[in-house]
Amino acid sequence: YSRYYPKRLQAEVLLDAIDMLTLSPTRFSGVPASVRAVALPDTGFDSYFLTVFGRPQSSTACECERSQEANLSQSLHLLNSEEIQSKLSADGGRASLLAQDQREDADKINELYLIAFGRQPDEVEHQASLSYVSSKENKREAFEDLIWSLINSKEFLFNH
């Protein structure tokens, strides 16, 4: 037990983490709106995100069906899919709420890091984030970009 190799979050966990960070929950047909991906009763729910990120098809009872390997489709989906972009720019989403919030930008950045990583940003991260957000006139767009960068970081995508 001297080391632990980082591994990518499972598809359902990653989708729920993105939903929590963006405050834009994924809706699955046939279940109440509050049902998270990890609570889906079976694999009969159509979700491109879950398919791309390796949700097993459940054709056998073996957990070995689940794919944990990273691939180009996953990277492209996180970088520029319509699904992720709509979560980032949703009215009532986290970026929208932070843009309207009257607190200091530094406090908002600390909050984002706590939600995304469970820790405060280090000095370099804090300064880079603060200078980026401060340089933009459109605060909503600035927070959308910041949240997008947190989602696409290795720290967000991997268990460690």
Side-chain angles (χ1 to χ4, degrees):
Y1 301 111
S2 65
R3 69 187 80 159
Y4 177 80
Y5 295 106
K7 62 182 179 178
R8 187 178 285 272
L9 293 175
Q10 291 183 351
E12 299 87 348
V13 175
L14 181 57
L15 182 56
D16 288 341
I18 291 170
D19 290 352
M20 185 183 74
L21 182 58
T22 60
L23 282 181
S24 181
T26 301
R27 307 254 188 257
F28 299 100
S29 62
V31 295
S34 62
V35 172
R36 299 176 0 188
V38 295
L40 291 173
D42 57 39
T43 59
F45 296 89
D46 188 35
S47 169
Y48 182 73
F49 185 96
L50 296 176
T51 302
V52 166
F53 281 88
R55 175 185 59 180
Q57 297 302 314
S58 294
S59 57
T60 67
C62 180
E63 181 64 21
C64 60
E65 269 190 75
R66 183 177 294 276
S67 172
Q68 288 292 102
E69 296 177 13
N71 61 48
L72 185 58
S73 297
Q74 294 170 351
S75 298
L76 290 174
H77 192 74
L78 288 173
L79 289 172
N80 62 6
S81 73
E82 185 177 322
E83 180 179 13
I84 298 296
Q85 295 303 318
S86 66
K87 287 181 177 296
L88 291 169
S89 62
D91 291 333
R94 190 164 312 271
S96 171
L97 295 175
L98 288 174
Q100 298 169 9
D101 195 334
Q102 299 302 314
R103 293 179 296 156
E104 295 291 322
D105 287 341
D107 295 335
K108 298 177 202 177
I109 290 167
N110 287 338
E111 177 183 311
L112 280 176
Y113 272 81
L114 282 172
I115 294 166
F117 304 137
R119 65 170 178 82
Q120 297 283 338
D122 65 29
E123 190 59 36
V124 173
E125 293 168 333
H126 193 267
Q127 286 301 334
S129 300
L130 187 58
S131 66
Y132 179 76
V133 169
S134 300
S135 70
K136 296 289 239 178
E137 282 187 41
N138 185 339
K139 293 295 183 187
R140 180 175 175 165
E141 188 177 294
F143 282 110
E144 287 175 11
D145 292 345
L146 182 56
I147 293 169
W148 178 85
S149 69
L150 295 176
I151 288 172
N152 284 285
S153 70
K154 287 183 181 179
E155 187 173 355
F156 187 81
L157 298 172
F158 287 84
N159 276 333
H160 55 285

